Amino acid sequence: MPEYLISVWHSPGVQHRATGPYTSEEEMQAAFQAVGEFNEALRAEGAWVYAGGLVAPEESVVVDCTRGAEPVITDGPFTQAQQHMGGFWVVDAAGPEQAEDLAARASKACGNKVELRPFQT
């Protein structure tokens, strides 16, 4: 089956259910539970490949080996942007319609917009 990337996008300073800071411990636990339930549904349906959350872009480094023998490593995100990827799922789907359904369910579970992209074949 084709694999798709469902990426979760966060906007700094905009409150999302799944990005915090949460208004309460209960809100945080509800968000974690919704994503956990979605992950379990993916596994049960055979669509699960892999998923992960990412730390803030400020904790990233950029590695550039295009300008000489030694890599140049710099702090910070690769680009300064209004949004950044906060997490992702890699899923198996029979085709675009099923992938779009999974992406809609992912968006609902995490409380954020998601982007759906197929992997190259």
Side-chain angles (χ1 to χ4, degrees):
M1 279 200 290
E3 289 183 350
Y4 292 81
L5 174 69
I6 300 172
S7 52
V8 181
W9 291 86
H10 297 172
S11 298
V14 176
Q15 297 301 313
H16 296 284
R17 183 168 60 97
T19 61
Y22 298 98
T23 59
S24 67
E25 178 71 19
E26 293 79 22
E27 181 183 26
M28 181 177 69
Q29 292 306 319
F32 291 168
Q33 181 176 345
V35 169
E37 289 171 0
F38 176 65
N39 290 342
E40 288 305 314
L42 287 175
R43 287 182 181 99
E45 296 167 21
W48 174 272
V49 175
Y50 185 78
L54 301 171
V55 298
E58 296 78 24
E59 296 183 46
S60 67
V61 296
V62 177
V63 180
D64 182 356
C65 287
T66 64
R67 302 171 195 222
E70 296 298 319
V72 176
I73 300 173
T74 55
D75 290 337
F78 182 71
T79 62
Q80 298 296 321
Q82 293 291 324
Q83 295 85 24
H84 62 272
M85 189 186 326
F88 62 91
W89 287 273
V90 177
V91 297
D92 277 326
E97 288 182 7
Q98 183 187 17
E100 288 171 6
D101 176 67
L102 294 173
R105 291 167 48 201
S107 176
K108 182 172 183 146
C110 71
N112 287 289
K113 292 180 181 180
V114 301
E115 178 184 31
L116 176 66
R117 294 176 67 183
F119 281 89
Q120 293 179 346
T121 55

